[in-house]
Every structure is written in structure tokens, then in C-alpha cells.
Amino acid sequence: MSEIKVDTLTGKTSAGDITVTSEGGAATMQLQQSLAKAWAAFNQSGTHSFRDSSNFSSITDAGVGVSRFVFTNSMSNAEYATTGMSGEQAGGGNRVMGFKGSTVTPSTSTFATGNWELTNGSAIDDTRLSVAVLGDLA
């Protein structure tokens, strides 16, 4: 196995090329913007917990149907895009998931999601939810 050395790396970048040189020659890798910088599959029923996640250090209960997330690595600004969905619902019914600025204002280090019953608008904890964050890391 040959040793891999980085020829040049001029500062932190969220997009562009990095050239890696080994004994066998050079290879170029491209870093891409707009990929999910954080994501989670999680559970709100009982103790809020991750089933699997990337770039989140914690999830906590911020009220019925509300989960608060803390990034492991902060975002570059608080204008990142978020998407999420409520999957298998406890007790059946239709749900809608949104981002809860009144509970935890989105920042570079944290944000919160809310989950509501469509038929009556009440907040509800669910068993299978997911969220993804798009933007640039700090």
C-alpha cells in the first residue's frame, strides 16, 4: 500500500478540487455543495432518540411533537435549508412535520422540528421521523 500525500490545500473550502498524489500518480476529488450536511432518522415516542444520524451531537424533547437538534459541526449561517417527514405514525392518522422557530430559533448550532396531526392540528410525538439539512458547514 502506498503512502498518500496531499500536494496542496489552500484553506477551508466547501466546494472545489483537492488533488491527492501517491506513488502511482495524482487523483482529483471534487467537494460538492448542496449535499446533506446533517441528517437523522429519529424517534419522538418516549425518550427522543436517534435511530441513525450524521452531524448531530444530540436530540432532546422540547415539548409534545417537538425535537431539538444540536449540530456536531456548526453550519456557516442560519439560512440553511431543511426538509423532513413523519413516517410510521403512532396510532395511525396523517401528520405534517415543520420546523419550529418559536421553540428553538434556528441558529448555526441548533434547530427544532415540530410534528402535528392533520385532522385536528394538535402536536403529537411519533415513532419514525427523518430530517435532512442542506447548506455549508462553518
Side-chain angles (χ1 to χ4, degrees):
M1 182 175 219
S2 62
E3 180 181 348
I4 297 174
K5 298 177 184 176
V6 176
D7 280 345
T8 59
L9 183 60
T10 56
K12 191 157 88 175
T13 182
S14 59
D17 293 340
I18 294 177
T19 301
V20 178
T21 304
S22 71
E23 291 174 11
T28 301
M29 300 181 304
Q30 185 177 35
L31 300 177
Q32 298 178 357
Q33 291 181 332
S34 302
L35 297 175
K37 299 303 192 247
W39 59 266
F42 64 102
N43 179 9
Q44 291 177 319
S45 184
T47 301
H48 290 217
S49 61
F50 293 118
R51 289 193 320 282
D52 200 0
S53 68
S54 176
N55 196 29
F56 287 119
S57 62
S58 66
I59 181 175
T60 56
D61 187 341
V64 176
V66 182
S67 297
R68 179 180 181 267
F69 296 86
V70 176
F71 294 110
T72 302
N73 299 298
S74 295
M75 301 300 288
S76 63
N77 62 59
E79 303 304 320
Y80 46 83
T82 53
T83 185
M85 65 180 276
S86 180
E88 295 174 11
Q89 294 86 19
N94 295 315
R95 309 282 198 266
V96 63
M97 185 176 180
F99 295 88
K100 191 91 171 136
S102 63
T103 301
V104 178
T105 302
S107 72
T108 58
S109 61
T110 188
F111 73 98
T113 62
N115 194 45
W116 296 272
E117 171 75 52
L118 280 177
T119 55
N120 62 19
S122 63
I124 189 165
D125 285 341
D126 263 333
T127 56
R128 295 186 65 84
L129 300 104
S130 60
V131 64
V133 179
L134 303 166
D136 289 325
L137 296 176

